[in-house]
Amino acid sequence: LAHDSTAAIIKVFVDGTATLITGASDIGQGSNTTLAQIMAETLGIGLEDITVVAVDTEIAPFDFGTFASRVPYISGNAVKAAAEDVKRQVFEFVSEQLEVDVSDLISKDRRIYVKGSPEKGMTFSQAVKGCLYLKKGGHIFGKGIYEPDTVVVNQVTYEGHSTPAFAYGTQIAEVEVDRETGQVNVLRMEGAHDCGIAINPMHAEGQLEGAISGGLGQALYENLVTERGLVMNPSFLEYKIPTALDMPEIRSILVEAPDPGGPFGAKGLGEATNVPVAPAIVNAVCEAVGVRITQLPLTPENVFQALQQKQSHK
């Protein structure tokens, strides 16, 4: 990639509420909530005070895309920078009114006050109104741009650094295999993943559980059948995916090791939770029956044939 930059814009209203405008696309992973949480924590306001306007290309700033588990890290840093821009403007006004240094101010629970003297301050809304009226039209807009310190990978030497953060995790599967039919049942899965700091632990656990559902489908069910270029199982009636009844017992373990470059120490938790699922299941099947199967999905037919081949080679 030539770059991986993104931007965010924040507009603050006179009642102390604010709108976040971002090009980051929430495709079900909850990034709108996560970005709003980063903004709320930075400004010291409530999550309910924030409206997120996302992916409206007419008004939203550029975002490189929702892929590579990049949104919490890259877009999150842009949102944090935009919130810091807003905070700077509001703090400059409050410092003048309270006759204190900007560095002595804290913003928390919708109030801006002096460190060690919480009674000396004003509400966030009062500060915004002051910027608007006392500064004769001091409208507050915040802008944040983030470009990670990455280096394009050299396709000859393979030197480079295409991502600012790396994902680490491990998953364990417990399975049972019917040797007579080849049927594989996944009884339990545990996943431990380093997500930096979990901005929203419930979302992070849901991400892991969803990844296990997707990986379970890859490992046991999903098989695109084509014949002469035509898809022969074009609907979910024929193309099988896991349902709630197929899900095993799941234990999600969030390993929180703050990433120095991420917003509040956070980093992505996307593809890394999906990749180990099928290998863990395949390894568990191999451990159970002593056969290494290298073709997915592990349908009863594939497993049964592998067991028969093992028997014939004895």
Side-chain angles (χ1 to χ4, degrees), residues 210-232:
I212 288 176
S213 175
L216 190 69
Q218 179 189 20
L220 301 183
Y221 306 107
E222 299 184 46
N223 185 26
L224 189 67
V225 180
T226 61
E227 186 175 313
R228 296 182 180 180
L230 296 177
V231 177
M232 305 307 293

Side-chain angles (χ1 to χ4, degrees), residues 38-66:
I38 291 170
M39 173 178 160
E41 182 70 18
T42 305
L43 292 178
I45 61 178
L47 190 62
E48 59 271 28
D49 300 329
I50 297 171
T51 300
V52 178
V53 177
V55 206
D56 184 338
T57 54
E58 186 173 3
I59 62 171
F62 176 82
D63 186 273
F64 209 78
T66 299

